[in-house]
Amino acid sequence: GQQVMQIPQYQHVQEGEDFTTYCNSSTTLSNIQWYKQRPGGHPVFLIQLVKSGEVKKQKRLTFQFGEAKKNSSLHITATQTTDVGTYFCAGPGLGNQFYFGTGTSLTVIP
Amino acid sequence: DGGITQSPKYLFRKEGQNVTLSCEQNLNHDAMYWYRQDPGQGLRLIYYSQIVNDFQKGDIAEGYSVSREKKESFPLTVTSAQKNPTAFYLCASSIFLGYQETQYFGPGTRLLVL
């Protein structure tokens, strides 16, 4: 079945350092989405990428969709304590299903 | 104020007991989903429904049941057959607009077994 893997599972960074999480799918995706879940909270949609090689930016966050549409990355420049949380990628499956990645938990040390 | 509500926030289940988690949305979304999240884990799909009176099993449907009698409501029952129900349960809804389909999540219900 379809699998979406993310690495690393955990990341601790000093405030001000950069952070990157990588998402890899076993199948080609028509699009990929990224979500953020704050500790104790629920996932919140961040962005969707559709085109091969697409790059989108949201302030300090840069999202990239691979040329083969099987991988994606999220890069945060100069992390802040407000960036703490778990970041999930998600890709569409059969029907209306979404397959969520395993998530990367980010801890920012002040 | 549009959104998704889940109740209760915390739920305790005794051995052999069925419990029902509520999920309501006023976003007029067609599709609704139930996910299970274990500590340090990702989201695993339990059931989803694309339309009223229709639903499909996700990857971990065993021990769970759902109904979709109204567009706004998608309750999840955790039956006694689910031997390890302790988890964080998230309900979501989505609407498809061209290529853009995003999921909106409720605040979640934490289920604990006594």
Side-chain angles (χ1 to χ4, degrees):
Chain A
Q2 184 172 351
Q3 290 186 336
V4 181
M5 303 297 293
Q6 275 183 260
I7 55 170
Q9 187 175 3
Y10 302 96
Q11 185 80 60
H12 294 70
V13 299
Q14 290 287 142
E15 188 172 16
E17 290 183 341
D18 292 356
F19 159 79
T20 305
T21 173
Y22 300 90
C23 178
N24 292 287
S25 169
S26 58
T27 60
T28 300
L29 302 170
S30 60
N31 66 83
I32 194 159
Q33 301 180 2
W34 285 91
Y35 292 78
K36 176 183 179 181
Q37 183 177 23
R38 293 183 186 274
H42 59 276
V44 174
F45 173 79
L46 294 176
I47 206 161
Q48 177 175 272
L49 304 170
V50 177
K51 299 176 184 177
S52 170
E54 186 170 15
V55 178
K56 286 189 177 180
K57 293 189 175 184
Q58 288 180 349
K59 298 183 180 178
R60 295 176 295 103
L61 277 62
T62 301
F63 304 84
Q64 188 165 5
F65 202 8
E67 294 289 341
K69 302 184 78 173
K70 295 181 71 173
N71 58 73
S72 181
S73 64
L74 159 59
H75 179 82
I76 303 178
T77 305
T79 54
Q80 300 176 359
T81 54
T82 53
D83 295 325
V84 166
T86 301
Y87 293 85
F88 293 99
C89 60
L94 295 174
N96 247 34
Q97 289 195 55
F98 285 79
Y99 286 94
F100 280 79
T102 45
T104 296
S105 176
L106 172 64
T107 300
V108 179
I109 304 164
Chain B
D1 202 18
I4 301 177
T5 57
Q6 289 185 244
S7 62
K9 188 173 183 179
Y10 296 95
L11 186 58
F12 298 92
R13 193 191 92 164
K14 295 180 181 179
E15 292 287 339
Q17 188 181 41
N18 292 355
V19 292
T20 298
L21 284 60
S22 169
C23 178
E24 304 278 332
Q25 56 103 355
N26 60 5
L27 300 167
N28 200 32
H29 287 175
D30 291 315
M32 296 187 74
Y33 307 77
W34 274 105
Y35 293 92
R36 170 180 172 142
Q37 187 175 34
D38 293 282
Q41 302 292 315
L43 281 68
R44 292 185 292 169
L45 182 65
I46 305 173
Y47 268 99
Y48 67 104
S49 168
Q50 296 178 256
I51 197 169
V52 174
N53 291 323
D54 186 50
F55 47 83
Q56 284 79 41
K57 293 182 179 180
D59 295 328
I60 57 165
E62 186 174 350
Y64 301 97
S65 66
V66 294
S67 63
R68 186 88 187 274
E69 297 176 2
K70 297 186 300 182
K71 187 175 186 177
E72 304 81 20
S73 178
F74 192 39
L76 173 74
T77 297
V78 184
T79 74
S80 57
Q82 174 49 244
K83 298 306 179 186
N84 184 24
T86 296
F88 187 41
Y89 290 87
L90 288 159
C91 178
S93 70
S94 70
I95 189 167
F96 187 79
L97 297 171
Y99 262 117
Q100 183 79 13
E101 179 173 11
T102 63
Q103 298 212 317
Y104 297 82
F105 285 85
T109 294
R110 293 192 184 277
L111 176 60
L112 299 169
V113 176
L114 297 177

